[in-house]
Amino acid sequence: PVLVLLAVQGRLTAAALGFSVVAGVLSSVVPYAADLTALRYVPPRSFGVFMSVHPVLAAVVGLVLLGQVLDLHEWVGIAVVVLANAAAVALPRRGSAGSAVEQVGQLEPAGLLPARDDGAA
């Protein structure tokens, strides 16, 4: 969208193109790579809570750097999401089967592959 606007206004220069590419990389690729790296070292349940804190950080940065003040109902909405994720991690699980995601990870493709005759399982 930025490039289209610059092209329409006749201000599309090499510097503008470079700044647009850098902004795109810094706003998407870098956070995505950081999240994937963190996921290697943090349990998935805790990572979900960490991800739910992103709106809090965005709201604080918006307040401090841009002077954007959220209304009370917006802060309440963010708090509800964070607290729901924290409760999901803190509360004990029901039953011993685990979550649906964990069950999918434990499934074996028994019926999908042809049977082996060499006695190996």
Side-chain angles (χ1 to χ4, degrees):
V2 172
L3 290 177
V4 171
L5 180 66
L6 290 173
V8 168
Q9 294 177 348
R11 299 186 307 159
L12 184 59
T13 63
L17 181 62
F19 287 134
S20 298
V21 169
V22 169
V25 169
L26 291 178
S27 66
S28 59
V29 174
V30 173
Y32 181 72
D35 288 342
L36 288 181
T37 302
L39 189 53
R40 292 181 184 172
Y41 302 103
V42 177
R45 297 180 82 205
S46 300
F47 184 77
V49 173
F50 174 72
M51 294 300 290
S52 72
V53 174
H54 283 180
V56 174
L57 298 175
V60 170
V61 168
L63 177 65
V64 172
L65 295 180
L66 302 174
Q68 297 175 337
V69 179
L70 295 180
D71 291 332
L72 179 61
H73 70 278
E74 293 168 323
W75 282 111
V76 169
I78 291 172
V80 167
V81 170
V82 173
L83 291 174
N85 283 312
V89 170
L91 296 176
R93 297 182 188 183
R94 291 184 180 174
S96 60
S99 72
V101 173
E102 291 169 345
Q103 290 175 7
V104 169
Q106 296 172 359
L107 293 179
E108 295 189 21
L112 301 177
L113 300 175
R116 294 171 50 172
D117 292 332
D118 61 357

